[in-house]
Amino acid sequence: MTNSVLYPCDNRFRSSKLLNGIWKFKFDPNSVGESENWQLGLTDTIDMPVPGSFSDLFTTSKERDYVGDFWYERDFYMPKGWDGQNLLIRFGSLTHRAVVYCNGIKITSHEGGFLPVVADISGAIKPNEKNRLVVKLNNELSEETLPVGTTRTLKSGRKISLPYFDFYNYSGIQRNVWLLSIPVNSIQNYSTNIKLYEDYANIDYKVESDIGDINVELFDERGHKVSSTKGNNGVLKVHNPNLWKVRNAYLYTIRISLVKDNEVVDQYENKLGIRTVQVKDSQILINGEPVYLKGFGKHEDFDILGKSFNWSIVKRDFECMKWTNANCFRTSHYPYAEEWYQMADEEGFLIIDEVPAVGMMRSFQNFVDAGKGKYTRFFETSTIPQLKENHIEQVREMINRDKNHPSVFAWSMFNESETTSDAAFSYFKDIFEVARNTDPQSRPCTGALEKNSQPDTCKVYPLCDFICLNRYYGWYIDGGEAVEDAEDKFIDEMEKWKDKSLNKPFIFTEFGTDNLVSEHKLPSIMWSQEYQNEYLKMYFEIFDKYSFVQGELVWNFADFQTSQGIRRVDGNRKGIFTRERQPKDAAFLLKKRWENK
Ligand SMILES: O=C(O)[C@H]1O[C@@H](Oc2ccc([N+](=O)[O-])cc2)[C@H](O)[C@@H](O)[C@@H]1O
């Protein structure tokens, strides 16, 4: 058994080689690829960067907005010295679904565009010859897959995507691709769970491996061994631990060794933060201390790059977030590239990790219909069993991928789903149960509730360990000169939640207004920077009146690309930063508030 989701780690037992660079690329609008044996090799191709989203590299809509099958190919050699090892191919993601071929042999297939695809290619690879990797992808949206949308066929036969969500349907091989060399007898997975006591911490751990003895060691930041033990299950005890604290992270290194016949045959190393997460009454506790969440809903999004993984964007975004004094973000609306979580671990940021369950409300561009309170009986249709199966699988894959990150403190099961029917409740009851049964750290589970999910109508919030609200009073509801009514309606809703005495924390996971950097206006009007500031101030005043409000994640960190429409000006402009990551006026307001909060 070698198939493991563990992030690549290089040492004297394991090697990795990035297969990033220029690949061959070809659209397959009539889905003839397999029948014409494209898996053996592509002809008439164009160059395509990997990692990359293909869309914004093109200059015609036919290509940019392409929907359907498309293929990638590249050749590679097996590096010297990898003989006799198990060889794996690991894609950070393949959006939204893919079939992988090596030398014409089908290696694996995968549904879901935001989680790793890992497969053993040992049986297909030729050690001393050129090897060919061919990947067929597909980016069509449907009501049976996540994220949810539909595909429309124009008269010409050309397909276009109609997302039920508000971000551009970027796709391709958008994250790193590695070739991995793993020992035949190997470590496949591990998980940890931390318990804090007066002057020590216990790290309960579990290792999955091939048969052999397991040694586990823990090193501090200076490389000194602070604890060690043996066995596939056990406890690492750490005296006077340095805790992983919010915006003040301390990271140990855990080293797991597999020993056979007194010889180490495999080793895996990773960072480890000692911290606990609890929800107690209306507070979120990290290491037993309450934390108020300050930060953003984000996107993986950038000009030209689309959703391509790029370290420089990750770095710049963290620098901007630190500058605003933020301590948290939500990976709206899908699990991000793993490198985001690694940097969050280092920088002491908290993450609400979200599955791509967005668009679970039948409406093209949910911001048009959602505002009207349209109820589409989404959970009562025949596509639900298949969707649910995919949803469950992606919850499992996300938690399995991210379970060891100290930064991840909560799981989000959905964004702005319909929640007012019994069918919605029974659907999500099972989804939440899967998350709770999968996470070794029992982190809190939640989902982001849209405005029709009200105290008296929402059936899903009882499943949430803390309540996440997306609210747009003063934007989608009563914007502009009617904003005084918006404030009343908002307070009205807050009073109703208060009357419920839920004794749970509330986090605002979205609130914001679109605005253009060019627009300044006195008095303020919608789309001006002044309006965004006044709106935010109104929200802050309300948040500060309710002690159960324990966090504010503004929508959005930066402007981002969406589908075209009458409400979007080259994308969503609710950014606190521009798409180029420069501050709008509101950035200074947040920086000041969060410095003292
Ligand atoms: O529109 C936005 O900027 C953001 O809002 C959220 O969706 C809403 C759409 C309409 C209404 N409404 O009409 O009340 C409320 C919420 C989505 O979670 C987010 O992905 C999107 O980008």
Side-chain angles (χ1 to χ4, degrees):
M1 193 178 122
T2 52
N3 199 336
S4 153
V5 77
L6 291 178
Y7 193 82
C9 148
D10 282 75
N11 55 33
R12 66 195 166 100
F13 306 97
R14 300 174 162 242
S15 313
S16 67
K17 178 188 158 81
L18 275 173
L19 296 184
N20 296 348
I22 291 289
W23 290 44
K24 293 178 174 170
F25 180 88
K26 190 173 180 167
F27 290 123
D28 183 9
N30 301 314
S31 298
V32 297
E34 269 110 352
S35 63
E36 294 184 0
N37 278 323
W38 292 16
Q39 62 275 19
L40 301 178
L42 305 176
T43 52
D44 302 319
T45 57
I46 58 171
D47 288 348
M48 189 56 70
V50 169
S53 308
F54 67 77
S55 286
D56 287 352
L57 308 179
F58 289 108
T59 56
T60 70
S61 163
K62 222 176 120 188
E63 297 159 299
R64 175 188 191 251
D65 303 317
Y66 177 84
V67 176
D69 292 345
F70 52 101
W71 295 67
Y72 283 75
E73 173 189 316
R74 85 159 262 173
D75 293 343
F76 68 94
Y77 281 92
M78 185 177 123
K80 227 176 145 176
W82 286 24
D83 278 323
Q85 294 262 102
N86 277 326
L87 301 186
L88 269 55
I89 182 86
R90 187 185 199 277
F91 299 89
S93 65
L94 294 168
T95 317
H96 293 291
R97 58 197 60 81
V99 187
V100 180
Y101 298 92
C102 180
N103 295 327
I105 300 164
K106 182 176 163 186
I107 296 298
T108 192
S109 63
H110 186 260
E111 172 62 43
F114 302 96
L115 289 159
V117 182
V118 189
D120 196 322
I121 55 170
S122 308
I125 203 167
K126 292 176 277 182
N128 297 312
E129 289 170 51
K130 194 186 272 184
N131 293 281
R132 175 157 294 167
L133 207 55
V134 176
V135 188
K136 176 189 148 185
L137 288 93
N138 174 282
N139 65 351
E140 286 173 51
L141 302 174
S142 82
E143 293 190 6
E144 297 187 343
T145 54
L146 301 174
V148 187
T150 188
T151 300
R152 173 176 161 197
T153 308
L154 303 179
K155 268 198 199 147
S156 62
R158 181 185 162 205
K159 287 185 251 181
I160 60 170
S161 67
L162 298 175
Y164 297 174
F165 51 88
D166 189 32
F167 56 89
Y168 188 80
N169 188 35
Y170 286 115
S171 52
I173 304 182
Q174 303 184 121
R175 297 178 186 167
N176 287 328
V177 184
W178 292 267
L179 196 60
L180 303 177
S181 157
I182 308 282
V184 174
N185 289 299
S186 69
I187 297 154
Q188 281 104 38
N189 210 342
Y190 77 98
S191 62
T192 56
N193 186 29
I194 284 133
K195 293 190 188 116
L196 292 181
Y197 301 93
E198 192 77 349
D199 57 354
Y200 67 97
N202 275 348
I203 307 171
D204 295 341
Y205 71 87
K206 232 182 225 157
V207 176
E208 280 170 43
S209 68
D210 290 307
I211 295 172
D213 297 324
I214 291 291
N215 292 340
V216 184
E217 301 160 281
L218 195 75
F219 301 89
D220 66 15
E221 282 189 349
R222 287 184 298 168
H224 296 149
K225 194 189 288 190
V226 295
S227 184
S228 65
T229 184
K230 286 180 191 306
N232 280 75
N233 300 295
V235 184
L236 274 172
K237 188 168 178 173
V238 187
H239 291 282
N240 300 314
N242 281 307
L243 300 182
W244 185 95
K245 293 181 180 157
V246 181
R247 292 295 312 279
N248 185 14
Y250 188 96
L251 290 173
Y252 291 87
T253 296
I254 184 169
R255 181 197 286 164
I256 301 165
S257 306
L258 176 64
V259 181
K260 277 196 100 152
D261 306 323
N262 291 319
E263 207 187 311
V264 179
V265 294
D266 188 20
Q267 225 163 44
Y268 186 82
E269 267 185 28
N270 204 353
K271 299 280 172 67
L272 183 147
I274 298 184
R275 64 99 186 85
T276 59
V277 180
Q278 271 171 282
V279 171
K280 198 165 172 262
D281 301 326
S282 62
Q283 290 185 317
I284 291 168
L285 308 180
I286 302 292
N287 304 327
E289 284 171 24
V291 55
Y292 189 90
L293 308 179
K294 308 174 288 185
F296 304 94
K298 282 182 60 57
H299 266 299
E300 287 183 300
D301 176 88
F302 201 75
D303 198 14
I304 302 174
L305 297 177
K307 292 196 183 305
S308 323
F309 167 71
N310 179 294
W311 264 122
S312 299
I313 300 173
V314 177
K315 178 69 181 162
R316 173 70 184 180
D317 282 10
F318 272 96
E319 289 308 312
C320 290
M321 286 195 286
K322 278 154 58 183
W323 177 84
T324 64
N325 297 304
N327 63 14
C328 179
F329 64 94
R330 174 171 64 128
T331 67
S332 39
H333 296 309
Y334 37 83
Y336 293 0
E338 291 150 290
E339 292 80 2
W340 283 96
Y341 303 76
Q342 294 168 1
M343 197 169 275
D345 291 344
E346 299 278 348
E347 297 283 6
F349 269 76
L350 293 168
I351 290 179
I352 300 177
D353 205 0
E354 189 159 275
V355 275
V358 58
M360 302 177 87
M361 177 181 301
R362 199 166 295 97
S363 69
F364 303 124
Q365 296 194 319
N366 64 4
F367 50 88
V368 179
D369 288 327
K372 300 187 186 124
K374 187 175 148 189
Y375 172 55
T376 67
R377 299 176 162 270
F378 184 84
F379 291 97
E380 288 149 57
T381 33
S382 58
T383 48
I384 285 299
Q386 183 59 56
L387 181 70
K388 188 169 171 183
E389 218 176 276
N390 284 324
H391 198 154
I392 285 174
E393 179 56 23
Q394 294 191 43
V395 168
R396 287 208 178 103
E397 288 180 25
M398 172 177 79
I399 295 177
N400 190 34
R401 187 192 73 161
D402 296 335
K403 61 185 180 300
N404 291 321
H405 287 288
S407 53
V408 174
F409 81 100
W411 310 109
S412 167
M413 298 295 110
F414 63 88
N415 179 69
E416 300 208 332
S417 168
E418 259 176 35
T419 64
T420 54
S421 64
D422 292 329
F425 175 78
S426 61
Y427 179 99
F428 281 112
K429 192 171 149 282
D430 296 347
I431 301 283
F432 276 70
E433 197 176 300
V434 169
R436 293 197 166 104
N437 290 337
T438 308
D439 182 13
Q441 295 190 0
S442 313
R443 292 170 179 86
C445 296
T446 187
L449 300 171
E450 55 90 41
K451 82 135 211 298
N452 299 301
S453 304
Q454 288 284 321
D456 49 347
T457 59
C458 178
K459 302 221 162 125
V460 172
Y461 78 77
L463 295 169
C464 300
D465 295 310
F466 58 89
I467 313 274
C468 292
L469 300 181
N470 296 356
R471 289 297 180 269
Y472 289 95
Y473 295 105
W475 187 253
Y476 291 116
I477 302 167
D478 292 334
E481 54 271 63
V483 70
E484 57 192 74
D485 276 10
E487 188 168 4
D488 282 351
K489 285 180 188 167
F490 192 4
I491 292 170
D492 236 43
E493 184 188 343
M494 290 306 286
E495 286 297 317
K496 285 194 190 129
W497 285 117
K498 190 178 159 191
D499 289 346
K500 292 209 153 236
S501 310
L502 295 182
N503 203 26
K504 284 183 185 183
F506 278 61
I507 305 300
F508 281 84
T509 34
E510 286 188 25
F511 57 104
T513 72
D514 286 87
N515 66 97
L516 299 174
V517 237
S518 57
E519 291 311 297
H520 283 281
K521 208 84 176 179
L522 267 182
S524 77
I525 60 166
M526 292 172 86
W527 292 89
S528 71
Q529 296 213 48
E530 286 75 15
Y531 191 82
Q532 188 182 33
N533 269 346
E534 287 162 18
Y535 168 104
L536 291 174
K537 281 184 197 149
M538 168 177 112
Y539 274 63
F540 294 151
E541 249 175 59
I542 294 173
F543 296 165
D544 292 343
K545 279 197 195 120
Y546 297 90
S547 58
F548 55 84
V549 174
Q550 288 295 313
E552 47 194 62
L553 308 182
V554 185
W555 192 255
N556 187 286
F557 169 73
D559 293 349
F560 59 93
Q561 196 53 269
T562 65
S563 303
Q564 301 175 52
I566 51 170
R567 314 216 176 180
R568 294 291 175 262
V569 186
D570 187 14
N572 186 308
R573 300 303 189 113
K574 294 192 186 71
I576 295 302
F577 291 84
T578 63
R579 204 176 185 208
E580 297 74 34
R581 276 39 177 190
Q582 297 303 338
K584 296 185 192 171
D585 285 0
F588 298 90
L589 179 77
L590 295 182
K591 179 179 170 60
K592 203 163 157 220
R593 171 172 168 85
W594 290 346
E595 195 180 349
N596 307 315
K597 184 96 192 156

